[in-house]
Structures are given as structure tokens and as C-alpha cells.
Amino acid sequence: MTTSFYPPQRTLMGPGPSDVNPRVLAALARPTIGHLDPAFIGMMDEVKQMLQYAFKTKSPLTMPISAPGSAGMEACFVNLVEPGDKVIVCQNGVFGGRMKENVERFGATAIMVEDEWGKPVDPAKVEAAFAANTDVKVLAFVHAETSTGVLSDAQTLCQIAQRHDALTIVDTVTSLGGSELDVDGWGIDAVYSGTQKCLSCPPGISPVSFNTRAIEVIEQRASKTPSWFLDQKLVMGYWGGGAKRAYHHTAPVNSLYAFHESLVMLEEEGLENAWARHRHHHHALRDGLEAMGIGFLVEEPYRLPQLNSVFVPEGIDEAQVRQRLLENYSLEIGAGLGALAGKVWRIGLMGAACNKKNVLLCLNALENTLSAMGADINTGKAIAAAEAVYNTN
Ligand SMILES: *Cc1c(COP(=O)(O)O)cnc(C)c1O
């Protein structure tokens, strides 16, 4: 007979999901209630308010979509893009490519602005794309590229779009809660994120927010939104309907308890403190890795603290290292993607996984594993280098 499933206890330092705090897991196990129960509706309102805090927006159209980050991406494109529209899509990694897919599947034209993987989106190229194309409706880009560990300058990119009267769709799946993000301050029109990266909640929910400009565009669509489930006007009947909420779909009740708890924890810590924590532990990890002789893919000013892409030492089978880390230390780190496969690891320091214990565990585990495999690294220096960062702060 099949027996219950008990997952191994891991330390998750990959590109997501990240370690989930026991408080969040405990919330998941609370009794299921009806999704139109007044108590549940009260909790939904708190989730919306806390999400506004996390995104730094006052927009009332801020809510979680009942599906993973990819559905949040699709919700933004399916509602804002219509057949025949022109959309400038910036691609400097995996997720920009998915934006292009969305644009084309909804019958619009994607004008691509490409940058090398490991480099940020170049605002000059975006400026040139606007100069070469009239009537661009939307500029879409990824704030924090998880496939490479690069942060792009969202504020500058949004300013360019505003000068050309275009809307912005911004992917903040990996930046929300980990790097500075100011949705209203930067004038982002449509934004989506995920729960399993720096918010350290189980996967399966995607927070989104639309501002008044975006909502006007949605309301003035010539054609019906081609997705029933993601049609924001219908979703709003449930999430935005005050006491008179209409049934749209059954919300993932327990997942939303968990999400609520992770947002409570973000409020307790303070958004700015969460950003600072990610930077702090990133500095310790960086100094440790560099002391070992391991270098970073991304130039310093564009590095994401929550996602560290580092080069695999020469002659080392990177998959074997990850397998040994999992077997011997129950530690997960990520592999490189696309052209970077086999060349880099992606070490996540996201949310609850971003702490001193994990930084030291990772450095120790990597050093032991690599030196046992005969890699050309400096031994005996990494922990001290990381400790030096902790001792000066
Ligand atoms: C993880 C991720 C997504 C997709 O989120 P899922 O929850 O896996 O669907 C989209 N964009 C970025 C930048 C991501 O890191």
C-alpha cells in the first residue's frame, strides 16, 4: 500500500522555492473555512493591505492571483495586450523570453530589446526602440532576472516608457521583498510577483497590482479578454467586491493563510530592513566565495543579493557538486540555464533562507565538496572572510 509522503528536510538556496518559515507552514495547517465566510473575507482584506505595503502602492487593485508567478505574468499581458498592439519586450535572460511568448500568443507584436545574459537591460537600447517605433503600447521587462542574477534599473526604464506614453508591465517575482521596489514611486502600471522567492511562502500564488492607467486601458478594451480565469474585471468581482463578493473561483483558502502569515512577518521585519538583510548576507557570501577563488558572473552594481550566479571552477562537473551538496548536506543550490548551463551555479539567499547559518553552511559545504573533488580553490579562507563581514556589522 502507498504510505504518506514525508519530504526530506532541505535547506533551499536555489532560485526558489526558498525555505519556508515554520510560522508560515503552521498557518497552512489551520482549519479550512468557506471562501465566502466573513472571517475569510476579513483576512482577504488584510492580505490586500499588506500587499500594498510590500509593493509600495496605494492601488486598490492589488491582490493575489490563485496560481503561480507565471499566471501573474499572463494576467498582466492577457488583460493589457490586444491583437495588433506593439509591445517592447526587454530580454536579458529566461523570463524576458516568456514575456515575448505572451505578447505573441495574444496577437500583438513584440519589439525585442536584447541584452547579453548576465547584463542588465540597457536603457539606451530601450530609448532607441521607442525612437524607431511609433504607437508602442507597453514596455515590458524583468526587474530581477532570476536566470542570471541581474537587477535592472526599473525606475529609469519606467521613466522612458512614461516619456513615450507607454504602459509598463514589470516582473518583480524575485525582487519583491528582497530588493528596493517602489511601484507607485516609479510609476509602474502593472506588476506581478510570486510568493516562493523572497516572501518565503509555498509556491502557487501570484500577487499582482494594476494602477488606474492600467485599469482604464483594461476597461476600454475593444475585444473581450481572451482568458476567462485571468480576466481582471471578473477577478475583481471576487477580490474587490467589498461585502458583496461574487463567486469567481474557489480561492486556495489555506495557501492564503500562509501568504497572510508571510506578509505579517514582512511587516514585522519592515520592508527596508528586509532589503538590508538580503544585502548584508549577500556581502558575507560574496566575500566567502571570493576568498575561495570563486568569481561572480554579474558586475557588482547590477548583482542581485538574493540570487548569486557564480562560476564553476575549471574542470569540475557542476551537476555532481549539486548532487553531493544535496546528499551530504541536504542543501539545494541552482544550476545555470541556457548558455550558462554547466558554467555557473545560482545560489539563492531568498527570504527566510537569507541568514548567517545558511551562508556559513553553504561556504563550508562548497569548500569541502570542491576540495574533495580536486578543484583549484583556496581552502581555509572562506568562513573567515564571511565572519569578517558579520563582525564588522
Ligand atoms: C520564478 C519566476 C517566475 C515564474 O514564477 P512561477 O511561480 O515559477 O510560475 C517568473 N519570473 C521570474 C523573474 C521568476 O524568478
Side-chain angles (χ1 to χ4, degrees):
M1 216 174 38
T2 309
T3 56
S4 305
F5 175 66
Y6 291 96
Q9 189 82 47
R10 303 278 193 221
T11 297
L12 300 179
M13 297 181 75
S18 59
D19 284 347
V20 177
N21 188 284
R23 269 177 65 181
V24 175
L25 289 177
L28 204 55
R30 289 177 195 146
T32 303
I33 59 175
H35 72 118
L36 294 169
D37 188 308
F40 187 69
I41 286 172
M43 190 215 65
M44 287 167 82
D45 286 335
E46 289 180 356
V47 166
K48 287 170 66 176
Q49 279 157 19
M50 290 190 288
L51 258 185
Q52 288 175 2
Y53 167 74
F55 273 132
K56 295 192 82 168
T57 179
K58 293 201 161 48
S59 173
L61 295 166
T62 304
M63 74 205 70
I65 301 271
S66 305
S70 306
M73 177 188 285
E74 195 144 332
C76 289
F77 286 94
V78 81
N79 282 287
L80 289 172
V81 171
E82 286 194 76
D85 285 345
K86 284 189 221 166
V87 180
I88 296 179
V89 175
C90 305
Q91 183 172 11
N92 60 339
V94 166
F95 294 101
R98 294 194 180 175
M99 288 178 150
K100 175 177 191 264
E101 275 290 318
N102 271 271
V103 169
E104 291 175 347
R105 281 168 194 243
F106 301 133
T109 303
I111 299 158
M112 299 305 292
V113 168
E114 292 182 48
D115 280 288
E116 223 177 288
W117 287 37
K119 297 267 189 298
V121 173
D122 181 354
K125 289 187 189 169
V126 174
E127 207 46 278
F130 273 110
N133 295 279
T134 51
D135 303 326
V136 172
K137 184 177 182 183
V138 177
L139 168 68
F141 65 89
V142 179
H143 186 208
E145 241 312 339
T146 326
S147 61
T148 59
V150 167
L151 184 72
S152 287
D153 181 351
Q155 185 173 20
T156 298
L157 295 172
C158 287
Q159 282 165 356
I160 295 171
Q162 283 144 18
R163 275 205 301 279
H164 294 276
D165 248 348
L167 293 167
T168 43
I169 295 178
V170 184
D171 177 321
T172 65
V173 176
T174 283
S175 51
L176 185 65
S179 298
E180 184 183 4
L181 170 65
D182 186 352
V183 168
D184 282 359
W186 298 346
I188 298 174
D189 298 297
V191 64
Y192 61 91
S193 190
T195 50
Q196 77 276 26
K197 314 255 167 142
C198 295
L199 298 180
S200 277
C201 188
I205 289 179
S206 176
V208 298
S209 182
F210 296 91
N211 71 7
T212 7
R213 277 211 313 161
I215 288 300
E216 272 169 27
V217 170
I218 293 171
E219 277 171 354
Q220 285 161 14
R221 282 182 68 99
S223 58
K224 227 176 178 180
T225 300
S227 165
W228 176 85
F229 185 69
L230 296 173
D231 183 336
Q232 205 53 33
K233 279 185 279 189
L234 301 180
V235 173
M236 278 311 295
Y238 179 51
W239 272 94
K244 284 190 94 54
R245 277 169 214 251
Y247 166 63
H248 176 258
H249 66 279
T250 311
V253 172
N254 293 57
S255 294
L256 287 169
Y257 299 162
F259 189 39
H260 181 277
E261 190 67 20
S262 72
L263 290 170
V264 166
M265 291 182 69
L266 181 67
E267 274 197 1
E268 286 172 2
E269 180 175 22
L271 193 54
E272 284 78 7
N273 293 335
W275 301 338
R277 174 169 52 86
H278 283 87
R279 269 197 310 278
H280 182 50
H281 295 292
H282 158 74
H283 288 152
L285 180 71
R286 173 201 63 194
D287 284 11
L289 289 169
E290 287 181 346
M292 223 188 286
I294 292 179
F296 277 72
L297 169 73
V298 179
E299 281 173 58
E300 181 101 46
Y302 313 112
R303 272 179 211 163
L304 281 174
Q306 62 272 48
L307 199 285
N308 299 268
S309 286
V310 296
F311 289 109
V312 175
E314 202 122 328
I316 292 296
D317 174 357
E318 75 80 23
Q320 206 185 348
V321 174
R322 281 186 296 111
Q323 191 189 330
R324 290 194 188 187
L325 292 179
L326 203 61
E327 278 170 11
N328 299 333
Y329 299 89
S330 213
L331 170 65
E332 178 182 282
I333 65 170
L337 296 176
L340 297 171
K343 298 195 179 119
V344 302
W345 289 301
R346 291 180 301 149
I347 304 176
L349 279 174
M350 296 180 175
C354 180
N355 61 57
K356 181 175 176 180
K357 179 170 151 271
N358 282 1
V359 167
L360 299 179
L361 166 73
C362 180
L363 290 171
N364 185 54
L366 259 183
E367 180 171 323
N368 290 346
T369 306
L370 286 172
S371 62
M373 289 169 76
D376 181 19
I377 54 160
N378 308 318
T379 54
K381 296 202 163 77
I383 296 290
E387 290 283 13
V389 170
Y390 289 124
N391 291 339
T392 53
N393 284 279

